[in-house]
C-alpha cells in the first residue's frame, strides 16, 4: 500500500520564554497507521501535539493536513477538518451524564439520529450500560475510556491520544489496544505513550523527541536499536 | 428517557395553568404583583440562559433591560410608533445591544467579563442621564394610557395586563425549555462545564457565548419592552446597577441552570421584600439574611437543591 501523508509539519517551533519546548520539528504522519511519539519527560511531546491540534498557537513553522495549510486555523476548525485530541489529564464533563458527554461530539460531527448514534459510540467502548450515570462518578478506567469515546465519536481522520493508558489496569490495557487497532485504517492514530510494551505492540512508526527536537524516527525495531535513543532514555551524555 | 422529558413538560405547563387560574383567585393587590413578577421573571430567565446555563456572569443586564424599556417607551411616547412595532423594537434593541456588548466583552472571561459588562451598563446608565432632555433622566416619564393599547386590548387594564404578562412569560418559558433541551442547549452547558474540552470537540466558544448572550438580551429586551407598556413608566433606575443585580439574585435564589428557578426566585424575593417591609424598615437586612442562609445551606438555589435531592429530571 502506497503511503499517503495525512499530516506533515515543517520547522515547527514553540518556545516558552527561554525554554525551547518544541524546536524546529519536521514530522510526517502516514494515513491509516498507528504512529507513536515517545521521549523522556519534558521532551515536548504534549506541546508538539498541542501545536498540531491548535490548543497552542504555532510560533514558526507550518502544518499541512490532508493537503491544506492549517497552521493558523483555530482549534475548533481543525476539529471540523478531522483532528481529534484526547487529553492527557482526563477532561470529561464530570457533572454531565455519560450520554451527554458523547452526544456532544456526535452532534458536532452531524447526526440525524443523535440518541442512536450516541449509544452506538458508547457501545464501541463498552460504556453503553452506564449512559445515564454522571460522568464524574465513573471509575477512573471508565473515565479514560469515555475520554477516548468522545474523541472517536467525532469520527476523526486523525485521533491524537495523549498518554491514554496512564493509570489503566493491565486488563484494561488489552481492551484499549484492541480498541485502537479497530479504528485503523479509517482513522489514523498518533499516540503519546510511556508504556513501552503498548508502544512496541501497537505502533508501526515511532518518533522520538528529546529537548524539543526529533532524535530519531523509524520502525519499532530500528528505534530499539538506535544508540542515541538508548542514551536519551538511559540518562543521556554519559553513555 | 422520553418519559422523563414529558414529566418536565407537564410540570411547566402546570405552572402556566396555575398562573392562569391565579388571575381569578387572587385579590387585586397580589394580582398586580404577580403580573410584575412574571415580567421580571422573563428578564431573569434571559439572565439564566447566559449565567445559569452558559456560565457567563454578567453584571450588565440592566443595560439590555433598559434598551428594551427605552426603545419601546420612547417609541410610543415620543416617536409615535404603533405599540406593536415599539414592542418588537424593544425586543430587538435588547438583543442588538447584548450582541454589541458581547462582541467586545466576550474577549474577556471570568472576573474581567463581570467588570467589562458592569462598565458597559454604567456607561448606558450615564448616557440615559446625559440625554435627559429626551429620556427625562432619573425622573423618567409616564406612558399615556392612549399609547398603552395593542390591537384593541387596553394594556392598562389589570386583567389584560395580567394575561399579557402571562402570555409573554409562557412563551419565554417554553422557548427556554426547548432551548435547554436542544443540542444547542447542550453545547451551552458544555461551555459552562469545561470550555477547553468543548473547544477541542470542535465548538467555537466565542460563537456560542455570543449566541447565548444575544438570546439573553432578547429576553431582557422583551421584558423591558413589556414592562414599559404594561406598567406605564420608564425611568433611569431600571438602567442602574440594581437591575443588573436583581436577575442574578433571582436566579441564585431559584436555582441557576433550571428553567423554573428564575420565576421561583423572583416570586420569593419579591414577597420576601414585600412582607418584611411591612414589619421593619430594615427589610434589606431580611433579604441579606435570606441570601446568607441560601448560600450556606442551598448554594445551588431552591430548585438546584431539589434537583440534587432526587428530582434529577428537572430541566
Amino acid at each position: 500500500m502506497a503511503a499517503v501523508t495525512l499530516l506533515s509539519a515543517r520547522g515547527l517551533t514553540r518556545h516558552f520564554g527561554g525554554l525551547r519546548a518544541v524546536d524546529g520539528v519536521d514530522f510526517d504522519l502516514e494515513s491509516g497507521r498507528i504512529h507513536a511519539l515517545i521521549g523522556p519527560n519534558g521532551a515536548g511531546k504534549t506541546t508538539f501535539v498541542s501545536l498540531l491540534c491548535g490548543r497552542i498557537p504555532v510560533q514558526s513553522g507550518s502544518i499541512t493536513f490532508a493537503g491544506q495549510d492549517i497552521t493558523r486555523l483555530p482549534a475548533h476548525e481543525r476539529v471540523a477538518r478531522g483532528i481529534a485530541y484526547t487529553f492527557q489529564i482526563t477532561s470529561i464533563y464530570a457533572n454531565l451524564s455519560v450520554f451527554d458527554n458523547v452526544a456532544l461530539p456526535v452532534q458536532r460531527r452531524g447526526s440525524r439520529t443523535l440518541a442512536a448514534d450516541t449509544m452506538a459510540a458508547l457501545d464501541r467502548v463498552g460504556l453503553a450500560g452506564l449512559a445515564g450515570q454522571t460522568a464524574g462518578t465513573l471509575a477512573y478506567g471508565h473515565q479514560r475510556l469515555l475520554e477516548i469515546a468522545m474523541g472517536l465519536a467525532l469520527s476523526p481522520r486523525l485521533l491524537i491520544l495523549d498518554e491514554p493508558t496512564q493509570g489503566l489496569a493491565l486488563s484494561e490495557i488489552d481492551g484499549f489496544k484492541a480498541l485502537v487497532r479497530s479504528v485503523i485504517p479509517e482513522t489514523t492514530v498518533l499516540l503519546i505513550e510511556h508504556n513501552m510494551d503498548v508502544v512496541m505492540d501497537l505502533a508501526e512508526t515511532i518518533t522520538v523527541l528529546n529537548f524539543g527536537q526529533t532524535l530519531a524516527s523509524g520502525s519499532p525495531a530500528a528505534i530499539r536499536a538506535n544508540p542515541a535513543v538508548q542514551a536519551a532514555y538511559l540518562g543521556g551524555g554519559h553513555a | 428517557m422520553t418519559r422523563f422529558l414529558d414529566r418536565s413538560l407537564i410540570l411547566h405547563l402546570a405552572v402556566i395553568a396555575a398562573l392562569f387560574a391565579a388571575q381569578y383567585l387572587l385579590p387585586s393587590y397580589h394580582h398586580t404583583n404577580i403580573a410584575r413578577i412574571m415580567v421580571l421573571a422573563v428578564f431573569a430567565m434571559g439572565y439564566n440562559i447566559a449565567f445559569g446555563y452558559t456560565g457567563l456572569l454578567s453584571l450588565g443586564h440592566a443595560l439590555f433591560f433598559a434598551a428594551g424599556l427605552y426603545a419601546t417607551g420612547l417609541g410610543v411616547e415620543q416617536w409615535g410608533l404603533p405599540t406593536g412595532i415599539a414592542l418588537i423594537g424593544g425586543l430587538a434593541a435588547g438583543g442588538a445591544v447584548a450582541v454589541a456588548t458581547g462582541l467586545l466583552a466576550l474577549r474577556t472571561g471570568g472576573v474581567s467579563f463581570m467588570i467589562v459588562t458592569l462598565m458597559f451598563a454604567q456607561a448606558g446608565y450615564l448616557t440615559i442621564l446625559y440625554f435627559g432632555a429626551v429620556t427625562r433622566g432619573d425622573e423618567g416619564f409616564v406612558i399615556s394610557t392612549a399609547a398603552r393599547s395593542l390591537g384593541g386590548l387596553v394594556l392598562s387594564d389589570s386583567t389584560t395586563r395580567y394575561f399579557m404578562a402571562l402570555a409573554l412569560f409562557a412563551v419565554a418559558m417554553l422557548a427556554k425549555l426547548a432551548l435547554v433541551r436542544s443540542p444547542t442547549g447542550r453545547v451551552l452547558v458544555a461551555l459552562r462545564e469545561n470550555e477547553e474540552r468543548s473547544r477541542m470537540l470542535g465548538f467555537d466558544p466565542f460563537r456560542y457565548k455570543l449566541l447565548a448572550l444575544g438570546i439573553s438580551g432578547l429576553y431582557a429586551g422583551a421584558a423591558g419592552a413589556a414592562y414599559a407598556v404594561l406598567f406605564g413608566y420608564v425611568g433611569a433606575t431600571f438602567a442602574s446597577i440594581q437591575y443588573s443585580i436583581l436577575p442574578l439574585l433571582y436566579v441564585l435564589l431559584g436555582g441557576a441552570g433550571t428553567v423554573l428557578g428564575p420565576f421561583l426566585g423572583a416570586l420569593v424575593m419579591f414577597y420576601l421584600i414585600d412582607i418584611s417591609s411591612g414589619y421593619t424598615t430594615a427589610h434589606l437586612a431580611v433579604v441579606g439574611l435570606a441570601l446568607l442562609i441560601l448560600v450556606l445551606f442551598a448554594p445551588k438555589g431552591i430548585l438546584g437543591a431539589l434537583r440534587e435531592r432526587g428530582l434529577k429530571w428537572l430541566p
Side-chain angles (χ1 to χ4, degrees):
Chain A
M1 191 174 78
V4 179
T5 304
L6 179 64
L7 178 143
S8 63
R10 288 291 169 269
L12 211 55
T13 300
R14 177 74 208 197
H15 297 173
F16 296 109
L19 176 71
R20 300 173 165 214
V22 174
D23 196 18
V25 171
D26 292 343
F27 180 77
D28 289 292
L29 192 61
E30 282 173 23
S31 185
R33 309 190 63 150
I34 302 175
H35 192 130
L37 195 59
I38 64 170
N41 283 324
K45 304 182 295 292
T46 294
T47 305
F48 176 70
V49 297
S50 295
L51 294 173
L52 296 185
C53 69
R55 288 183 71 204
I56 300 177
V58 173
Q59 226 156 20
S60 67
S62 67
I63 308 166
T64 312
F65 181 71
Q68 286 177 310
D69 186 349
I70 59 160
T71 315
R72 301 285 158 212
L73 278 190
H76 59 88
E77 283 181 30
R78 296 190 201 192
V79 176
R81 294 193 182 204
I83 301 180
Y85 174 78
T86 70
F87 287 72
Q88 176 177 13
I89 297 158
T90 308
S91 179
I92 55 174
Y93 301 102
N95 294 324
L96 303 187
S97 69
V98 170
F99 178 90
D100 279 340
N101 269 271
V102 174
L104 280 158
V106 171
Q107 74 185 47
R108 181 64 185 88
R109 172 185 88 199
S111 157
R112 286 171 178 279
T113 49
L114 186 59
D117 289 353
T118 302
M119 290 313 289
L122 283 171
D123 202 34
R124 193 170 187 186
V125 296
L127 290 177
L130 301 170
Q133 204 168 321
T134 304
T137 65
L138 290 179
Y140 181 77
H142 284 156
Q143 293 195 11
R144 293 298 310 178
L145 278 178
L146 180 59
E147 174 85 42
I148 294 166
M150 290 164 79
L152 279 178
L154 287 164
S155 299
R157 298 178 70 181
L158 168 61
L159 178 64
I160 300 173
L161 297 166
D162 197 348
E163 298 203 22
T165 67
Q166 197 179 45
L168 288 191
L170 274 177
S171 58
E172 292 170 323
I173 286 177
D174 284 336
F176 164 77
K177 285 196 286 199
L179 179 64
V180 171
R181 283 203 185 92
S182 76
V183 308
I184 303 294
E186 293 80 15
T187 300
T188 305
V189 173
L190 176 60
L191 177 74
I192 297 183
E193 186 55 65
H194 274 303
N195 184 329
M196 280 306 140
D197 292 338
V198 172
V199 170
M200 291 302 168
D201 201 14
L202 279 179
E204 293 151 281
T205 314
I206 299 174
T207 295
V208 187
L209 284 186
N210 198 21
F211 297 116
Q213 294 179 322
T214 315
L215 190 63
S217 198
S219 69
I223 292 297
R224 217 190 309 237
N226 188 312
V229 174
Q230 290 171 357
Y233 266 89
L234 296 174
H238 305 295
Chain B
M1 187 158 275
T2 321
R3 201 171 60 85
F4 289 146
L5 296 182
D6 286 347
R7 185 155 56 170
S8 75
L9 183 60
I10 289 166
L11 172 71
H12 291 82
L13 291 174
V15 169
I16 293 169
L19 284 167
F20 185 85
Q23 140 75 17
Y24 299 103
L25 303 172
L26 288 174
S28 74
Y29 171 67
H30 293 291
H31 180 268
T32 305
N33 283 352
I34 298 289
R36 202 181 297 265
I37 288 166
M38 285 193 287
V39 173
L40 289 175
V42 171
F43 181 27
M45 279 195 269
Y47 189 85
N48 196 22
I49 290 171
F51 168 63
Y53 287 93
T54 319
L56 297 170
L57 208 168
S58 148
L59 289 182
H61 264 58
L63 180 64
F64 315 145
F65 184 80
L69 186 84
Y70 275 93
T72 302
L74 291 173
V76 293
E77 205 50 37
Q78 307 228 357
W79 307 323
L81 292 177
T83 310
I85 302 289
L87 282 170
I88 293 167
L91 173 94
V97 172
V99 168
T101 306
L103 282 172
L104 294 164
L106 285 173
R107 291 162 179 269
T108 67
V111 176
S112 311
F113 182 76
M114 290 162 61
I115 294 169
V116 172
T117 49
L118 176 67
M119 288 303 132
F120 269 104
Q122 285 305 99
Y125 175 60
L126 294 173
T127 306
I128 290 168
L129 293 184
Y130 184 80
F131 291 102
V134 182
T135 64
R136 316 278 308 151
D138 256 339
E139 195 182 305
F141 58 91
V142 171
I143 295 171
S144 60
T145 315
R148 294 168 63 193
S149 71
L150 183 64
L153 293 169
V154 181
L155 300 176
S156 51
D157 170 71
S158 71
T159 306
T160 314
R161 176 166 66 194
Y162 188 93
F163 282 126
M164 291 305 287
L166 177 60
L168 174 68
F169 175 76
V171 169
M173 187 167 73
L174 294 176
K176 187 177 162 197
L177 190 60
L179 173 71
V180 305
R181 282 178 179 184
S182 71
T184 305
R186 185 181 282 125
V187 177
L188 299 185
V189 171
L191 280 174
R192 178 192 74 196
E193 290 293 317
N194 190 340
E195 180 171 335
E196 176 67 358
R197 207 348 158 182
S198 309
R199 193 161 72 96
M200 296 316 297
L201 288 180
F203 299 105
D204 181 357
F206 185 82
R207 207 181 112 213
Y208 278 94
K209 285 182 187 172
L210 191 62
L211 176 73
L213 204 60
I215 296 172
S216 185
L218 284 178
Y219 273 69
Y227 203 96
V229 293
L230 293 181
F231 299 99
Y233 171 73
V234 173
T237 324
F238 294 112
S240 68
I241 175 79
Q242 188 192 345
Y243 275 81
S244 290
I245 302 291
L246 274 180
L248 171 63
L249 291 183
Y250 294 159
V251 167
L252 286 176
L253 182 60
T258 64
V259 176
L260 278 173
F263 171 69
L264 191 62
L267 184 73
V268 172
M269 183 76 82
F270 193 96
Y271 276 100
L272 202 60
I273 294 175
D274 192 59
I275 294 167
S276 62
S277 61
Y279 292 98
T280 168
T281 50
H283 58 272
L284 285 179
V286 177
V287 173
L289 191 66
L291 289 174
L292 274 176
I293 291 170
L294 178 81
V295 169
L296 287 175
F297 298 106
K300 293 190 173 166
I302 300 167
L303 291 182
L306 286 178
R307 178 151 67 184
E308 274 187 344
R309 286 168 180 71
L311 296 180
K312 263 188 88 173
W313 51 274
L314 216 57

